[in-house]
Amino acid sequence: MSGILDIDKRHIWHPFTQHASERDQVVVTRAKGASLLDEQGNEILDLISSWWTCIHGHAHPALVKTLSEQAARLEHVMFAGFTHPPAAQLSQALAAVLPGDLNRVFFSDNGSTAVEVALKLAFQYHRNKGDAGRTEFFAFEGGYHGDTLGAMSLGRGSNFFTLFQELMCTVHTVPYAETWEGDNAIAAREEDALKTFADALDAHGGKAAALIIEPLMQGASGFRFSRPEFVRQISQMARDAGLLVIYDEVATGFGRTGTLFACERVDFVPDIICLSKALTAGMLPMAVTVAREDVYEAFLSDSFDTALAHGHTFTANPLACAVACKSLELFEQDKALEKVAHIGERNAAQLARLMAHDKVKHPRAMGCVLAFELAGTQGSYKTGAGELLRDWYLKNGLNIRPIGPTVYLLPPYCITDAELTRAYAGLFEGLEQI
Ligand SMILES: Cc1ncc(COP(=O)(O)O)c(C=O)c1O
């Protein structure tokens, strides 16, 4: 065993890991472009972008340069009573690329905290407007919004957090109309879901502060796609019933579904949007919760009681803000969305073969994401077949990490054609091993 692994085993508690049975962690010492390099120098293609973060690839020279220059200039300053150029520039840049008047940027550290802030904003927004009765939320079956208490409550429909039910706030979960390639029954499922949602709004809408949705694609519960019209209708129904609409674009933001933000294709401006993961292109932990002007205005008064009493020590860290600004610039310079479109075309070209495969169910492609279920396999986060596959892929130089029975690719946008060809070949070969 390597020295690092030995120390790791003695001291580290890894996330989402059962240490009594988990195999050894892979020691990664370097990364470049679409590849990770382990201690022995073996290359592993990072086909899930290190938990969906490093959109432009690992160690992108422009991001490394920006980070080191910013570190030499200003590494951190508390963000109450102080501001700094990277935060100002990033908030301006985000307001420019987000639709409508999503202009007010609140910084935090990760996807869960972005959601936690959204939840508190929605709750307090109604209070500040004189409606103290809106204390509940609506979310979707299969939704995942992070693992702090509020985010867990919203994601209770993902079944990740059943153990913690007693700690959760009141959330009504409504059906999610999921679709895939060759699905002919989606219109009927959408109609049913909309009807159930309308009934739930009738029953509980008057007590609800907000609806939260991962637009177009639920991530952690298995890359479950939905159609833009469905998301738009659900969103409008919630707004008409007086709820705020929160889009959790922690996973879908920054090009994943083909446009910079999924809400562009939905053609709906949410009241609040949560962004993280690819915000800093995988370089540093940071998140933002961006609100529309009228949400922000509801917090203004001559009393601190109506202000948002929330903040983190590393709020708007200058290093993370500078890197996030640079990452946005790279969308232009590196033609990132064209790269997503190209990956999307190549993914789509795999669909026919996947449809015909006897071990594959419900193949689907959107933006740079390719996903399918292992036919005949059920189960939650760690499923036997998925785990076997994960091991085989890793041994064969591919970081493909099924979520339960869902196998997916979500590569960095810099992945080359040759690397993608290798990924597809490995993907299918792996299926023969189970
Ligand atoms: C849609 C969505 N929201 C929130 C989160 C939580 O983000 P984090 O793990 O950074 O707390 C995730 C994480 O996968 C996510 O996919």
Side-chain angles (χ1 to χ4, degrees):
M1 191 190 307
S2 83
I4 296 296
L5 201 52
D6 192 34
I7 298 170
D8 177 288
K9 277 178 175 265
R10 265 186 284 129
H11 294 295
I12 296 182
W13 196 335
H14 284 267
F16 284 101
T17 298
Q18 173 48 269
H19 280 283
S21 56
E22 183 78 23
R23 80 278 290 137
D24 287 350
Q25 312 287 333
V26 180
V27 180
V28 172
T29 50
R30 294 188 62 199
K32 188 105 191 102
S35 296
L36 307 168
L37 295 169
D38 73 9
E39 264 188 316
Q40 289 76 35
N42 298 314
E43 187 197 359
I44 303 165
L45 262 187
D46 192 359
L47 293 166
I48 63 167
S49 303
S50 282
W51 264 345
W52 329 341
T53 58
C54 58
I55 43 177
H56 305 301
H58 291 279
H60 191 294
L63 298 176
V64 172
K65 184 165 180 282
T66 299
L67 177 59
S68 82
E69 285 173 2
Q70 183 58 44
R73 208 176 297 128
L74 171 68
E75 85 299 349
H76 189 59
V77 59
M78 59 185 285
F79 206 58
F82 293 89
T83 191
H84 51 77
Q89 282 150 10
L90 178 60
S91 55
Q92 188 178 40
L94 285 172
V97 291
L98 283 166
D101 59 345
L102 283 163
N103 288 338
R104 295 289 172 171
V105 180
F106 191 95
F107 289 91
S108 65
D109 304 335
N110 56 65
S112 305
T113 54
V115 167
E116 211 68 42
V117 170
L119 195 142
K120 287 172 72 172
L121 275 182
F123 174 84
Q124 193 177 345
Y125 166 86
H126 293 291
R127 293 227 152 192
N128 286 354
K129 291 222 152 204
D131 186 352
R134 290 187 179 268
T135 55
E136 301 176 359
F137 293 88
F138 275 91
F140 285 85
E141 282 168 8
Y144 179 89
H145 302 285
D147 39 24
T148 51
L149 263 182
M152 278 202 301
S153 310
L154 297 171
R156 66 197 307 157
S158 68
N159 295 326
F160 273 103
F161 307 119
T162 314
L163 177 70
F164 301 99
Q165 295 272 359
E166 287 162 64
L167 303 179
M168 294 182 182
C169 58
T170 307
V171 176
H172 306 281
T173 51
V174 284
Y176 176 81
E178 163 190 13
T179 191
W180 50 85
E181 187 70 10
D183 170 21
N184 298 321
I186 181 61
R189 282 200 306 282
E190 285 178 351
E191 208 179 303
D192 284 352
L194 289 168
K195 166 93 182 53
T196 309
F197 184 53
D199 292 345
L201 275 180
D202 280 347
H204 310 288
K207 290 178 286 172
L211 164 85
I212 187 161
I213 184 167
E214 292 158 88
L216 298 185
M217 184 180 86
Q218 288 187 335
S221 67
F223 289 88
R224 302 167 81 217
F225 296 173
S226 55
R227 300 200 297 183
E229 308 79 45
F230 172 70
V231 180
R232 185 164 54 245
Q233 282 188 59
I234 286 268
S235 305
Q236 193 57 52
M237 285 162 73
R239 182 167 284 166
D240 291 346
L243 281 68
L244 291 188
V245 177
I246 304 169
Y247 278 7
D248 178 351
E249 293 224 32
V250 167
T252 55
F254 303 101
R256 288 296 185 204
T257 65
T259 45
L260 195 55
F261 302 106
C263 63
E264 294 168 40
R265 274 187 53 217
V266 175
D267 196 18
F268 187 88
V269 182
D271 299 293
I272 299 171
I273 191 167
C274 304
L275 306 170
S276 186
K277 287 200 182 279
L279 172 64
T280 61
M283 277 260 165
L284 288 157
M286 191 170 72
V288 291
T289 308
V290 187
R292 296 181 67 174
E293 283 296 338
D294 79 307
V295 174
Y296 173 77
E297 279 160 16
F299 287 71
L300 305 178
S301 79
D302 51 12
S303 162
F304 186 76
D305 291 346
T306 66
L308 180 67
H310 189 103
H312 301 276
T313 309
F314 285 96
T315 295
N317 172 258
L319 305 177
C321 289
V323 168
C325 280
K326 185 45 97 180
S327 172
L328 273 178
E329 282 173 39
L330 287 181
F331 271 87
E332 291 297 314
Q333 283 166 26
D334 282 7
K335 301 194 174 16
L337 289 180
E338 286 176 32
K339 290 179 179 171
V340 172
H342 179 66
I343 296 168
E345 279 165 23
R346 294 218 50 199
N347 282 347
Q350 307 304 314
L351 285 173
R353 189 172 168 199
L354 285 169
M355 294 270 276
H357 202 292
D358 60 350
K359 291 184 179 156
V360 170
K361 201 173 84 176
H362 297 168
R364 49 206 184 268
M366 187 196 300
C368 70
V369 182
L370 178 66
F372 58 85
E373 310 303 306
L374 293 171
T377 309
Q378 302 250 317
S380 51
Y381 188 55
K382 299 260 181 184
T383 309
E387 289 295 282
L388 278 176
L389 259 186
R390 176 190 142 194
D391 286 349
W392 188 89
Y393 286 135
L394 212 45
K395 277 198 198 96
N396 288 273
L398 306 172
N399 184 26
I400 300 176
R401 198 172 188 274
I403 301 176
T406 309
V407 181
Y408 71 98
L409 301 187
L410 192 153
Y413 307 158
C414 66
I415 195 164
T416 64
D417 269 332
E419 287 168 335
L420 264 183
T421 301
R422 207 170 104 210
Y424 298 137
L427 181 74
F428 283 102
E429 209 187 322
L431 289 177
E432 302 313 318
Q433 312 302 315
I434 51 163

